[in-house]
Amino acid sequence: MLDEVKGLNEECGIFGIFNSNEAAKLTYEGLHSLQHRGQEGAGIVSFDGDERHTYKGLGLLSSIFKDTTILDDLTGTSAIGHLRYATAGSHGLNNIQPFNFQLPNLDFSLAHNGNLTNAKTLKKELLNQNVEFVSDSDSEILGRLIEKSNENTFIEKIKSSLQKLRGGFAFILMTKDQMFAALDPNGFRPLVIGQKDDGSYVFCSETCALNQVHSTYIRDVEPGEIVYIENNQLKSCFYTAKTKLSVCSLEYVYFASSDSVIRGVSVHEARKEMGSNLAKEHPVNADVVLGVPNSSLSAALGYAKSSGIPYDMGMIKNQYIARTFIEPTQKKRERGVSMKLSVVRPVVEGKDVVLVDDSIVRGTTSRFIVKLLRDAGAKSIHVRIASPVLKYPCFYGVDIQTTNELIGANKTVDEIRQEIGADSLEYLSVDGLKQSINLNSDNEFSGLCTAYFDGKYPTKLYDYEAQLHQELEKINV
Ligand code: SF4
């Protein structure tokens, strides 16, 4: 579905490059390919010998760095960058990353993707020790913990600080002569390592950014691992042995770019499998299969292939409309959808249509799309969702922490069908989703977090336990 209107948003994309003659420029390019992970603001920090250069702004990357000479001023051979979509903290410039920190004899910067589930507790402890915060983002906490750490070496300071964090997090940290990438013990968010032909190393959220900067994929960072570059060598250590892979399944369903590969599984292929399994679980007689552009097109192809019903491009997305999710009212959001999407009338007129979408959050956008298809003359519209019903809140880095806005938490599938005006509506099962991604992990979560769909949270929720309890009571679980 259209990310900007759906209200389901990922928190952040991160990128870092070490030992490159074009560090800031390549960071910009890498971030550009990760723009789908956050559109609220962006920043780049570079290190040039002992000096650090920072530039940040609000809005899309291309507008922040419209004046390309800004990148020329970010000198140095290493840089990290960040794209923000806020799940925690307010929307001001002070929350835009990377954040800069200072030890008595060492400057460092960091960029974070995810959400800490014990941020409130940690922040309270730090405030009690008179630590000052410049933002209200939970991402600042790791930096403040490192500053406060009594360990002797920087890597030991990072390790002991990471041991205190809970939740979903992927970090890239940089000093004047080192770079580090660290992942939470469940590996909720993707984080990969690559290398360019000139020997420079790249850390980033998704492999699509490695492709963008012409670097070769080396491997994913493992849960509980810190990968770092020292004397131009890639090194690794673990800050905890208590790890349990549970990658966010919504990365495969919706967040990640279709051309990315997460833990050896192509996002496009996984989405095609979701569509294919959806067709097997919920067949229907129809003339044509459509996908809601862009993230549902792979699943629509899979549905068509498996069902034998032809796929066609029945909907077009206008790429040049400014984002609409910040529009405060539903009416304005819907106007945004109508400006973004148009139907190719001859594809649907007089036809029984299968409309494949990746998910339904509030239901309002689906209702609008179904209406667009009816107005274009579709005879019947069968909505097929290539993921299970979204019923539970997420506390690991996605911005829905209450069930109020999730239509699937508050209505039955048939009630949702009526609300969106479809002739039929079906969802992929949780087993079908796991099978489609097939992560090759034999832990009880199949290597995936599916908590959004089944309420099985892979970790304790710390500061959020009471909130979850209230949410579950609301939906009578
Ligand atoms: S709860 Fe949902 S969105 Fe959050 S990490 Fe788990 S699968 Fe992803």
Side-chain angles (χ1 to χ4, degrees), residues 18 52-53 60 108 191 230 278 297 301 336 361 456 463:
F18 187 82
R52 187 163 48 181
H53 308 278
L60 293 175
F108 66 99
L191 186 60
E230 196 176 63
L278 181 62
L297 298 181
L301 276 173
V361 182
K456 292 181 185 160
D463 295 347

Side-chain angles (χ1 to χ4, degrees), residues 12-31:
C12 312
I14 53 179
F15 184 95
I17 185 160
F18 187 82
N19 202 13
S20 162
N21 290 329
E22 302 178 296
K25 183 176 155 276
L26 291 171
T27 300
Y28 173 85
E29 288 178 14
L31 288 178

Side-chain angles (χ1 to χ4, degrees), residues 8 10 168 188-189 246-251 255 390 392-400 433 448-458:
L8 188 61
E10 170 71 76
F188 284 108
R189 301 287 149 222
S246 39
V247 187
C248 170
S249 53
L250 271 192
E251 291 283 351
F255 294 133
L390 286 174
Y392 300 90
C394 173
F395 304 99
Y396 302 122
V398 172
D399 70 341
I400 291 198
L433 177 71
L448 291 168
C449 175
T450 50
Y452 234 150
F453 308 115
D454 57 16
K456 292 181 185 160
Y457 294 88

Side-chain angles (χ1 to χ4, degrees), residues 122-330:
L122 289 174
K123 193 163 177 178
K124 211 164 140 195
E125 283 169 18
L126 287 163
L127 287 170
N128 285 341
Q129 297 168 52
N130 298 321
V131 170
E132 284 181 20
F133 283 80
V134 296
S135 76
D136 56 4
S137 157
D138 64 347
S139 310
E140 192 183 341
I141 290 171
L142 178 66
R144 299 297 169 211
L145 286 171
I146 293 172
E147 283 179 337
K148 280 303 268 184
S149 168
N150 292 323
E151 299 293 339
N152 289 326
T153 62
F154 191 61
I155 183 97
E156 288 305 325
K157 286 180 195 291
I158 297 178
K159 264 193 203 174
S160 68
S161 304
L162 286 170
Q163 282 160 1
K164 297 190 170 113
L165 306 186
R166 301 288 179 268
F169 51 87
F171 281 101
I172 301 177
L173 296 102
M174 172 178 68
T175 66
K176 66 175 182 195
D177 54 9
Q178 280 187 300
M179 192 169 282
F180 305 80
L183 199 57
D184 71 72
N186 293 77
F188 284 108
R189 301 287 149 222
L191 186 60
V192 293
I193 313 162
Q195 189 172 28
K196 284 178 66 64
D197 285 349
D198 63 4
S200 53
Y201 285 103
V202 178
F203 297 136
C204 55
S205 297
E206 291 182 39
T207 59
C208 64
L210 293 181
N211 302 340
Q212 180 66 48
V213 300
H214 306 288
S215 57
T216 308
Y217 166 81
I218 297 178
R219 66 176 176 88
D220 290 53
V221 179
E222 293 301 322
E225 187 182 23
I226 305 170
V227 177
Y228 57 104
I229 306 154
E230 196 176 63
N231 301 328
N232 253 339
Q233 299 283 316
L234 205 57
K235 299 195 173 167
S236 156
C237 62
F238 284 80
Y239 62 91
T240 176
K242 286 189 202 142
T243 62
K244 181 164 53 184
L245 183 69
S246 39
V247 187
C248 170
S249 53
L250 271 192
E251 291 283 351
Y252 293 98
V253 170
Y254 168 77
F255 294 133
S257 182
S258 293
D259 57 342
S260 283
V261 176
I262 305 172
R263 300 208 163 268
V265 175
S266 149
V267 172
H268 170 64
E269 292 300 330
R271 287 178 185 164
K272 270 195 353 199
E273 276 302 303
M274 289 170 210
S276 168
N277 284 325
L278 181 62
K280 286 174 199 149
E281 289 182 9
H282 300 292
V284 61
N285 282 329
D287 303 310
V288 65
V289 176
L290 319 179
V292 179
N294 288 327
S295 58
S296 310
L297 298 181
S298 308
L301 276 173
Y303 194 101
K305 194 161 177 226
S306 177
S307 64
I309 304 168
Y311 168 84
D312 208 337
M313 207 172 69
M315 264 189 243
I316 309 287
K317 183 179 173 186
N318 184 330
Q319 311 288 352
Y320 303 102
I321 300 289
R323 66 191 186 139
T324 50
F325 76 93
I326 50 164
E327 295 287 9
T329 64
Q330 190 55 38

